[in-house]
Each structure stands twice: as C-alpha cells, then as structure tokens.
C-alpha cells in the first residue's frame, strides 16, 4: 500500500513540516531520503553529520508528530548520515568539544559587503593556511553582525580542506567554566593539554574574560604556547582589543600581533542580499520589492532579519495569502516607506538647524562646541533612521566625519533617549515633521 511506503511517508512529512515549522525548514530537506519504515520506526537518511545534528536539535519532534499524523501510528523517527562517518571526521567532531556546527553558517551562505570584507577574507585565508597567515585573527563588531557565523564557516571549511586538523572551538564562558572546574577537580594539567595541543583554537566572545583574572592568566599561557608552535588562534569580541578594559595589557598586546578585523553594520544593499540569502535557505519566495522593504525596516542587527522573515511567513500563512509588499507592510508594521525614501540629508540638516537655531554651516563645520555637537549628532541619528545613506555618506554631509563618529553619535542619542525626556520629544517631533512633510 502506498501509505506504507517510506518514500511516500517522508514526502508527506516534509509537506506537513513545511507548514507547521517554517522557521526550521531548509531547502536541503529535499535531499533527505527515506531509508526504511518498519516496526513503527522510520529511518531518514541525510547528506552529512552536521545536518543530522541540526535535525536532531531542531526538528525531531515536529518530524515525529507529522509522522504520527500521517501514518496514524505511534511512529518514532531517527536521522542518519548516509555518508558513513570516517575516522577523520570522528576526530573532528570530538575536537569541537560538543559544539555543533550549524549547517547554515558556511562561507557560501555568508554575504560579503564592504562592512565585512576584511573579516571574511581573513577567515577564508586562515581556513586555508592555519597558523601561517594571520595569527592571531581577532574579529570584532557589535552583536548580530556575523562573528559566530564566520567562526562556524572556518570550521566547515577546515573540515573540508583537512579532516585531520584538530580544532577546538569554544565560547569564552566554556573556557572559563572549564578552567574553573579543572582547578576544582585537580585536573589542570589535562585542561592545559587539551587547549595547548590543538592546531586551531577558536574562542568566541572573548570580552567575557574581563574581570576573570585567573582565567586571563591561563589564557595568556595557552596563547603563548599555541603561538610559539605556530598554531592558529581565532578570537572574537564585541569591541577592539584596546577597549577590553580590565584585560591585562600584555594580553591585549598579544591580540594585536596578528590581524584585527572589524565587522560593521551592513549597508542597505548588503542587507537586501542577506534577506534574499536567508529566504533562499528556507525556500521562501519573496516577490519584487519585498527584500528591499525588509532591508529598510531592519537596520542594525542581522539576526532580526530572520525574525522579520519568520513573522512575514507566519502572517502570510495565517491569513492564507501570498507574500506581497502590502502584506509585508502590515506584518512588519512598516509605515510610510515611500515617504521615507525621499527624505534627504539636506532636509534633516535644515530641520535641525531650525529647531536648535544653529546655522547650517556650523552643523557642517568641524566646530566641536557642545551647542553644535549635540544637534550635529541628532542629524547623524536622523540620517541613519530616515535615509538610506551609509554611515560614510551621512558623515560626509556633516563636515566629513568618518563612519565611526556617526555610529558613536547614534549610540549616544539612543542613550540620551533613556535619560532626557525633553531631547527625546524634540527628536520625535523632528522625525514627525520630516516624515509628514512629504
Ligand atoms: P554575532 O556572533 O556577531 O553576534 P552571528 O554570527 O550570530 O552574529 O549572526 C547573527 C545572524 O546573522 C546569523 O543568523 C547569521 O547567519 C546572520 N548573518 C550575519 N552576517 C551575515 C552575512 N554577512 N551574511 C549572511 N548572514 C549573516
Ligand atoms: Mg556570536
């Protein structure tokens, strides 16, 4: 009977899962195969171990529920890698210390733009020639800009290039906790050995080493041991080495020996490409103009792009309509995008100059007096909120400031929002004037 055929059951399960769990569905699900269905057990074959891990972590229960619904029986489901696990990849998996590589986080799925070009190129170089080109490699940037994604990509690529390479990939917290429990259990030598004998040591979010003096000391020795043996070290943080305040100076100076690469918030164009990439991975079709709307709506943290796609997809399913620009606007609460498009830096500078009674030429000058600096920062903030200009372009309109000055201004205004009601109201008022003028 067709209903009992494994291939047919899997096909139905995938159909069901696409509607019940769109967030976790990936286009590569079409590569899954039904191996067997017997004794109430369905075995599903999967291209590789990373994907098996992903399915076990994110999809086991929805697959099981779907299987039960479709067959009408109490069915259990398991996933198997159809490429037999070689001895090499066993070593590799073990060295990841329980960390599972996310199948989405590959170089292929990483969109490269001016904001992350150096970080991306250096990660590729390091995965091809660990320990020789950029050592240590230090990536920094604020949250959600792709640091962890790049670290996973280095692991994926290293595994492809050389399955024998031993890589140790941990979060800084894992390093600190591992160190503490090693001391407690009198296994410090083991701990040291584990970390000092690898080919590549990767530690994510190193800023957590702040305030952890003893762990810093241990890390310092690990660093030296690896560095002297020409082993690769890759670190990430939310700020540049020099701004890791309570980190010991000698540690910070080590970080600067290799390459320090910054990740910046992506420009509008790069964001569009990322939206399209993420939609492609999930098999979501976006009609003309929709990726642009999402890219405009989600500005700073790329993680939110995925959230926006999920909301959009869920809304479309709930109302039973295809994704359209109008539905996107409703689902994401986007207002007046057409009007926002036409606001220029000149409009903003003019409005701020009127509001604060300051000359336009002063706003565009290099003057640094407090009475001018704040309104100028407000211009930068509004430029970031209401126009599509890059940080560089906004800075260019305001006396040739560089992108970090503009970024700093935006952070500062957001801080002020929390404490200064009056300024917040004035800025909201300006925003209203500018968006309603169109
Ligand atoms: P971080 O570690 O810097 O906080 P993550 O690496 O966790 O950021 O990235 C957050 C999300 O944004 C992830 O889903 C990641 O895939 C995605 N992302 C970030 N940068 C890019 C990029 N350039 N291309 C594609 N996806 C990206
Ligand atoms: Mg991260």
């Amino acid at each position: 009977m067709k209903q009992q055929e494994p291939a047919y059951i899997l096909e139905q399960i995938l159909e069901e899962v696409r509607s019940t769990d769109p967030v976790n569905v990936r286009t590569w699900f079409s590569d899954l195969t039904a191996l067997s269905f017997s004794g109430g057990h369905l075995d599903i074959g999967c291209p590789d171990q990373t994907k098996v891990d992903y399915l076990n972590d994110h999809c086991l229960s929805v697959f099981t529920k779907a299987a039960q619904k479709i067959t009408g029986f109490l069915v259990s489901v398991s996933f198997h890698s159809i490429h037999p696990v070689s001895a090499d990849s066993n070593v590799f998996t073990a060295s990841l210390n329980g960390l599972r590589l996310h199948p989405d986080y590959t170089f292929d799925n990483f969109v490269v733009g001016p904001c992350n070009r150096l970080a991306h190129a250096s990660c590729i170089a390091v995965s091809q020639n660990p320990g020789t080109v950029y050592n240590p490699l230090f990536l920094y940037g604020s949250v959600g800009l792709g640091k962890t994604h790049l670290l996973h990509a280095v692991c994926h690529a290293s595994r492809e290039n050389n399955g024998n390479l031993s890589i140790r990939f941990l979060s800084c917290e894992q390093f600190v906790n591992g160190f503490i429990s090693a001391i407690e259990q009198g296994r410090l030598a083991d701990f040291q050995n584990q970390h000092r004998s690898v080919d590549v040591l990767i530690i994510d979010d190193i800023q957590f080493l702040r305030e952890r003096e003893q762990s810093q000391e241990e890390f310092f020795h690990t660093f030296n041991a690896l560095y002297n043996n020409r082993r690769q070290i890759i670190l990430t943080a939310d700020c540049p080495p020099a701004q890791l305040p309570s980190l010991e100076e000698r540690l910070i100076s080590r970080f600067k020996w290799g390459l320090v690469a910054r990740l910046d918030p992506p420009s509008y164009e790069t964001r569009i490409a990322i939206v399209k990439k993420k939609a492609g991975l999930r098999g979501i079709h976006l009609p003309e103009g929709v990726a642009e709307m999402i890219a405009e709506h989600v500005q700073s943290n790329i993680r939110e792009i995925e959230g926006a796609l999920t909301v959009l997809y869920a809304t479309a399913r709930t109302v039973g309509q295809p994704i359209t620009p109008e539905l996107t606007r409703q689902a994401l609460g986007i207002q007046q995008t057409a009007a926002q498009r036409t606001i220029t830096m000149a409009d903003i500078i003019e409005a701020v100059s009127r509001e604060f009674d300051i000359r336009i030429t002063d706003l565009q000058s290099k003057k640094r007096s407090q009475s001018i600096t704040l309104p100028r920062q407000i211009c930068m903030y509004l430029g970031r909120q209401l126009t599509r200009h890059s940080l560089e372009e906004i800075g260019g309109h305001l006396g040739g400031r560089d992108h970090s000055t503009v970024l700093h201004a935006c952070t500062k205004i957001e801080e002020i929002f929390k404490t200064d009601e009056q300024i917040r109201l004035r800025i909201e008022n300006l925003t209203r004037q500018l968006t309603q003028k169109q």
Side-chain angles (χ1 to χ4, degrees), residues 105 109-111 116 144-149 278 302-303 306:
Y105 295 175
N109 292 339
F110 191 83
V111 175
N116 56 30
L145 296 185
K147 301 182 292 296
T148 301
H149 184 138
K278 296 285 177 197
I302 302 173
R303 212 165 282 157
E306 300 187 299

Side-chain angles (χ1 to χ4, degrees), residues 1-58:
M1 209 168 68
K2 194 178 171 196
Q3 267 68 10
Q4 297 295 316
E5 277 171 26
Y8 176 78
I9 296 173
L10 178 60
E11 203 181 295
Q12 298 290 303
I13 291 178
L14 292 179
E15 193 59 38
E16 173 78 8
V17 166
R18 278 191 193 102
S19 63
T20 52
D21 189 30
V23 176
N24 290 312
V25 167
R26 294 293 178 272
T27 44
W28 54 259
F29 281 12
S30 58
D31 299 334
L32 299 177
T33 49
L35 301 174
S36 66
F37 177 50
S38 71
H41 192 84
L42 178 68
D43 285 311
I44 299 177
C46 185
D48 63 53
Q49 188 57 40
T50 324
K51 290 175 179 156
V52 170
D53 291 341
Y54 174 88
L55 288 164
N56 279 324
D57 288 347
H58 302 283

Side-chain angles (χ1 to χ4, degrees), residues 285-330:
H285 171 72
L286 298 179
E288 190 69 27
V290 168
E292 288 75 2
M293 291 172 67
I294 298 175
E296 195 157 301
H297 183 63
V298 179
Q299 302 257 342
S300 48
N301 182 340
I302 302 173
R303 212 165 282 157
E304 289 168 17
I305 285 181
E306 300 187 299
L309 271 176
T310 304
V311 169
L312 179 56
Y313 190 83
T315 310
R317 280 188 42 80
T318 315
V319 298
Q321 283 172 15
I323 294 174
T324 58
E326 182 49 37
L327 187 85
T328 308
R329 210 167 284 133
Q330 287 169 12

